[in-house]
Amino acid sequence: MKVSVRCMVPRDVVADAIIVGVYEGAGQLTSEAASVDVLCGGLLKQLLDKGEITGKLNEVATIYPPSQTVRKVVVVGLGAADKLDVEKLRQAAANGIKAAAKGKVKTVTAHVLGAGASSINLEDAAAALIEGALLATYSYDVLKSKQEEKTLSEVILLCAGPEAICTIEQGVKRGVVMAEAANLARDLVNAPANHMTPTHMAQKAEQIAKECALHCEVLERADMERLGMGALLGVAKGSAEPPKLIVLRYEGNPGGEIRAFVGKGLTFDSGGISIKPAENMHHMKNDMAGGAAVLGAMQAIGKLKPKVNILGIVPATENMPAGNALKPGDVITAMTGKTIEIISTDAEGRLILADAVAYAVKLGASKIVDIATLTGACGIALGSVYSAVITNCDKLAQDLQAAAATTGERYWPMPNHDDYREMIKSPVADIKNSGGRMGGVMTGGLFIGEFVGETAWAHLDIAPTAYTETEKHYQPKGATGVATRTLAALALLWGERS
Ligand code: BES
Ligand code: MN
Ligand code: ZN
């Protein structure tokens, strides 16, 4: 999709559709909406006065104006002006663009809705609108022999005068980069496991590195053996696909602190010998969503260039049953030297992350965020409304929440208490990989925390939020790309501080 910014008034616009925003309870149109209403011959104001259009958040109405230049005007409700935020703007843009795109529409235009009449600045408003529009029009249909016809090819943002153009373009750039990063993560997650093997993930990482001037290194099985990564190797043992440990490096602050994002890249989780029920097993191609979020975020970081150093680490493997697979009761030794008793081979995410976070520490990371579709228990606790966070550092969690506030993603803090660590003590080894059903989000997360030493660390469990069966606003069915934008936003926030 092409996105451009132009200084013109609606009267001069030649586009298939215009999206216009209306506030709830305002009683009158904004000056931008009034200029669009000129094309509608005053119909918009009439519909508002009659109460046919109320401006309620995400209300969508289409007007076919008696205009030669614009085929349709899509009116989106923005809610009350004093309650507007960037997330509502993303949603409004999403619902507006979906309505506008119907019926062979090629070009859609809009003012920077939300800027001016609310406290949201022009750059943030432009970013949110473009992000919402690009996220909403995403679809994964590359594997269909006959692809649905998509005509929408250009979004044009209108600006009142030349002094605003730079600011809007800045916002557009951020919005495009953020949305493309999340859409990349969605593509990786939506791809079937036979197309998205650890080898394919590593190739993707190399491609991202090339395009965004990042450094990429991929550790092979022999490297993992040399490093003693018994936990990652243990999970990979039963699979015919070779495991990969992907390391992307972005250096925006040479000599400064190093932070790491570590994402679970389980390209297919059958459960291994502790095999999962057949029903819904196909969803386990999504089990690399944490890794996909890291790759997407690294692409965004490479393009937006904050003044920080970020490592993007993705342990990638399948979890399969086989004659040589890991077995319940086996004891393996992680890179840190800790011995792990395997209770369930289906608790494999924490195993590959144990070695990956330890490797992040070895590479000098002083802050680590790991991201994983780790536990079914997370969905029981939070539904698909929130992802879970567990941390050993309140400051890091605060930064994460500040980043999430800019992306509209939701993370709920879960307790880090020693009593949960008691639940994963093993009678035969240093630790066991399952504490049973109770408190699964915490025992799973805190298991990973046992491998970061004293390093500041936060764990995000995105098991319930990585994938959705219901379309909503800018979220189509399928992979959500969750955590991608928040990780990128976190890097931007850190960058502003240094
Ligand atoms: N990948 C799963 C978690 C998962 C479940 C993600 C549902 C998305 C949807 C993970 O590897 C797993 O199997 N976890 C087990 C842990 C248990 C054996 C301690 C679980 O949640 O049942
Ligand atoms: Mn599993
Ligand atoms: Zn898994």
Side-chain angles (χ1 to χ4, degrees):
M1 186 106 61
K2 193 175 154 205
V3 182
S4 48
V5 184
R6 290 200 207 140
C7 277
M8 51 167 67
V9 290
R11 208 174 348 103
D12 300 328
V13 167
V14 179
D16 297 320
I18 291 192
I19 300 174
V20 59
V22 173
Y23 288 104
E24 187 175 16
Q28 58 180 22
L29 297 172
T30 60
S31 61
E32 288 89 357
S35 70
V36 175
D37 201 20
V38 173
L39 295 173
C40 302
L43 195 55
L44 177 54
K45 180 74 168 67
Q46 285 173 37
L47 290 168
L48 199 69
D49 289 344
K50 287 185 188 144
E52 292 286 337
I53 290 175
T54 65
K56 208 165 148 285
L57 184 65
N58 287 323
E59 171 189 60
V60 178
T62 305
I63 297 173
Y64 296 90
S67 152
Q68 296 301 310
T69 49
V70 175
R71 258 170 49 204
K72 60 179 174 181
V73 172
V74 174
V75 190
V76 287
L78 299 173
D82 59 348
K83 297 242 165 61
L84 192 67
D85 58 31
V86 284
E87 173 60 10
K88 289 177 181 163
L89 223 40
R90 257 179 225 114
Q91 294 180 8
N95 292 309
I97 199 115
K98 284 191 282 183
K102 284 183 192 144
K104 300 216 188 310
V105 162
K106 288 198 198 90
T107 51
V108 174
T109 179
H111 285 104
V112 183
L113 313 184
S118 70
S119 60
I120 304 168
N121 71 46
L122 194 58
E123 181 181 328
D124 287 347
L129 290 171
I130 293 304
E131 212 175 287
L134 297 187
L135 289 170
T137 47
Y138 170 87
S139 64
Y140 185 78
D141 51 14
V142 287
L143 300 180
K144 299 200 182 200
S145 33
K146 216 173 150 216
Q147 268 147 41
E148 249 174 66
E149 204 192 340
K150 277 186 262 172
T151 53
L152 181 61
S153 59
E154 188 175 12
V155 178
I156 304 162
L157 283 183
L158 301 178
C159 86
E163 62 290 342
I165 207 161
C166 252
T167 311
I168 298 177
E169 275 173 353
Q170 281 290 322
V172 165
K173 180 181 178 196
R174 173 157 46 96
V176 168
V177 168
M178 287 292 203
E180 283 180 349
N183 286 343
L184 165 72
R186 288 170 170 181
D187 272 345
L188 300 182
V189 176
N190 281 327
N194 62 329
H195 290 212
M196 194 45 63
T197 62
T199 303
H200 288 112
M201 272 194 104
Q203 283 167 354
K204 270 283 169 195
E206 269 155 7
Q207 190 189 331
I208 294 165
K210 222 178 252 158
E211 287 165 10
C212 306
L214 306 173
H215 181 267
C216 179
E217 190 185 359
V218 177
L219 274 60
E220 306 291 336
R221 197 192 301 267
D223 302 308
M224 299 169 200
E225 281 164 359
R226 189 171 42 77
L227 288 159
M229 296 181 163
L232 172 53
L233 286 166
V235 175
K237 250 187 353 164
S239 168
E241 292 291 338
K244 306 279 171 182
L245 182 64
I246 301 164
V247 182
L248 285 171
R249 257 176 237 260
Y250 166 76
E251 201 175 335
N253 184 20
E257 196 186 336
I258 299 170
R259 279 102 164 185
F261 297 150
V262 184
K264 172 177 174 182
L266 222 297
T267 61
F268 186 72
D269 182 12
S270 70
I273 297 297
S274 314
I275 198 159
K276 288 182 180 293
E279 203 188 354
N280 290 328
M281 203 201 271
H282 59 287
H283 286 318
M284 284 300 127
K285 68 169 186 177
N286 298 327
D287 211 18
M288 32 61 75
V294 169
L295 296 187
M298 292 308 287
Q299 172 176 290
I301 292 164
K303 288 183 178 170
L304 296 174
K305 308 210 181 308
K307 291 192 175 67
V308 279
N309 302 320
I310 308 278
L311 290 171
I313 300 180
V314 181
T317 179
E318 289 182 338
N319 183 25
M320 298 292 277
N324 62 342
L326 203 59
K327 302 175 290 297
D330 285 358
V331 173
I332 56 179
T333 307
M335 188 175 75
T336 61
K338 264 202 170 74
T339 55
I340 306 167
E341 181 191 6
I342 304 303
I343 301 300
S344 169
T345 64
D346 198 11
E348 83 299 335
R350 61 202 73 183
L351 296 175
I352 68 171
L353 286 165
D355 279 339
V357 295
Y359 193 59
V361 174
K362 197 178 162 77
L363 294 180
S366 54
K367 290 194 179 72
I368 297 174
V369 180
D370 85 70
I371 312 92
T373 46
L374 204 76
T375 68
C378 190
I380 303 297
L382 299 173
S384 46
V385 179
Y386 278 84
S387 305
V389 200
I390 299 178
T391 189
N392 64 6
C393 171
D394 289 340
K395 181 72 182 63
L396 178 56
Q398 269 170 26
D399 288 352
L400 180 95
Q401 293 294 2
T406 70
T407 63
E409 292 185 349
R410 292 179 290 239
Y411 295 87
W412 195 261
M414 300 300 244
N416 174 351
H417 194 285
D418 279 338
D419 285 2
Y420 294 114
R421 269 181 282 273
E422 286 295 318
M423 293 167 72
I424 45 174
K425 283 206 167 139
S426 161
V428 300
D430 296 334
I431 193 170
K432 59 183 179 183
N433 79 332
S434 170
R437 280 166 53 83
M438 302 288 278
V441 183
M442 283 68 73
T443 53
L446 293 173
F447 179 98
I448 300 166
E450 289 300 292
F451 295 84
V452 301
E454 298 300 307
T455 312
W457 156 82
H459 157 75
L460 311 182
D461 194 333
I462 56 166
T465 49
Y467 171 88
T468 176
E469 308 226 33
T470 47
E471 176 186 342
K472 200 174 181 187
H473 306 310
Y474 55 80
Q475 179 54 65
K477 282 183 198 173
T480 60
V482 69
T484 310
R485 291 181 298 119
T486 296
L487 292 177
L490 182 56
L492 294 183
L493 186 133
W494 283 334
E496 282 162 17
R497 286 199 200 133
S498 62

Short mmCIF file of all heavy atoms in Angstrom, two decimals, residues 264 266 269 276 284 287 319 346-349 373-374, ligand 3:
data_model
loop_
_atom_site.label_atom_id
_atom_site.label_comp_id
_atom_site.label_asym_id
_atom_site.label_seq_id
_atom_site.Cartn_x
_atom_site.Cartn_y
_atom_site.Cartn_z
N LYS A 264 10.32 -17.08 21.71
CA LYS A 264 10.14 -18.53 21.49
C LYS A 264 9.83 -18.81 20.03
O LYS A 264 8.83 -18.35 19.50
CB LYS A 264 9.02 -19.05 22.39
CG LYS A 264 8.61 -20.50 22.14
CD LYS A 264 7.52 -20.96 23.12
CE LYS A 264 7.00 -22.36 22.79
NZ LYS A 264 5.92 -22.81 23.69
N LEU A 266 9.16 -21.86 18.42
CA LEU A 266 8.77 -23.27 18.28
C LEU A 266 7.91 -23.40 17.02
O LEU A 266 6.72 -23.08 17.06
CB LEU A 266 8.01 -23.68 19.55
CG LEU A 266 8.31 -25.04 20.14
CD1 LEU A 266 7.96 -26.15 19.19
CD2 LEU A 266 9.75 -25.15 20.60
N ASP A 269 4.63 -27.34 17.67
CA ASP A 269 4.64 -27.98 18.98
C ASP A 269 3.62 -29.11 19.03
O ASP A 269 2.44 -28.89 19.29
CB ASP A 269 4.34 -26.93 20.07
CG ASP A 269 4.38 -27.55 21.47
OD1 ASP A 269 4.85 -28.69 21.59
OD2 ASP A 269 3.94 -26.86 22.42
N LYS A 276 0.18 -33.87 22.38
CA LYS A 276 -1.05 -33.10 22.57
C LYS A 276 -2.23 -33.85 21.95
O LYS A 276 -2.03 -34.65 21.03
CB LYS A 276 -0.92 -31.74 21.87
CG LYS A 276 0.01 -30.77 22.54
CD LYS A 276 0.03 -29.44 21.80
CE LYS A 276 0.96 -28.46 22.49
NZ LYS A 276 0.51 -28.02 23.81
N MET A 284 -0.83 -25.28 16.62
CA MET A 284 0.52 -25.22 17.20
C MET A 284 1.61 -24.80 16.21
O MET A 284 2.78 -24.73 16.54
CB MET A 284 0.86 -26.54 17.89
CG MET A 284 0.16 -26.66 19.23
SD MET A 284 0.64 -25.31 20.35
CE MET A 284 -0.95 -24.67 20.81
N ASP A 287 3.22 -21.51 17.46
CA ASP A 287 4.03 -21.51 18.68
C ASP A 287 5.38 -20.80 18.52
O ASP A 287 6.20 -20.79 19.42
CB ASP A 287 4.22 -22.96 19.14
CG ASP A 287 4.35 -23.10 20.65
OD1 ASP A 287 3.95 -22.15 21.36
OD2 ASP A 287 4.85 -24.14 21.11
N ASN A 319 9.04 -29.36 18.07
CA ASN A 319 8.93 -30.29 19.20
C ASN A 319 8.15 -31.50 18.71
O ASN A 319 6.95 -31.42 18.53
CB ASN A 319 8.21 -29.61 20.37
CG ASN A 319 8.12 -30.50 21.61
OD1 ASN A 319 8.95 -31.40 21.78
ND2 ASN A 319 7.13 -30.24 22.46
N ASP A 346 5.96 -31.55 26.73
CA ASP A 346 5.15 -30.47 26.17
C ASP A 346 5.46 -29.12 26.83
O ASP A 346 5.03 -28.07 26.36
CB ASP A 346 3.66 -30.82 26.32
CG ASP A 346 2.77 -30.00 25.39
OD1 ASP A 346 3.31 -29.32 24.49
OD2 ASP A 346 1.54 -30.04 25.58
N ALA A 347 6.21 -29.13 27.91
CA ALA A 347 6.66 -27.86 28.51
C ALA A 347 8.04 -27.55 27.93
O ALA A 347 9.05 -27.49 28.64
CB ALA A 347 6.69 -27.97 30.03
N GLU A 348 8.07 -27.38 26.59
CA GLU A 348 9.33 -27.27 25.85
C GLU A 348 9.77 -25.83 25.65
O GLU A 348 10.96 -25.56 25.50
CB GLU A 348 9.19 -27.97 24.49
CG GLU A 348 8.54 -27.13 23.37
CD GLU A 348 7.13 -26.68 23.66
OE1 GLU A 348 6.46 -27.35 24.45
OE2 GLU A 348 6.70 -25.65 23.12
N GLY A 349 8.81 -24.90 25.67
CA GLY A 349 9.15 -23.49 25.41
C GLY A 349 10.14 -22.97 26.43
O GLY A 349 11.15 -22.33 26.08
N THR A 373 4.63 -17.91 23.53
CA THR A 373 3.33 -18.57 23.67
C THR A 373 3.59 -19.73 24.63
O THR A 373 3.72 -20.87 24.21
CB THR A 373 2.85 -19.11 22.31
OG1 THR A 373 3.96 -19.77 21.67
CG2 THR A 373 2.36 -17.99 21.41
N LEU A 374 3.67 -19.41 25.93
CA LEU A 374 4.23 -20.39 26.85
C LEU A 374 3.22 -21.35 27.47
O LEU A 374 3.49 -22.53 27.58
CB LEU A 374 5.02 -19.69 27.98
CG LEU A 374 6.07 -20.61 28.60
CD1 LEU A 374 7.28 -20.76 27.69
CD2 LEU A 374 6.50 -20.12 29.97
ZN ZN B 3 4.91 -24.78 23.00
#
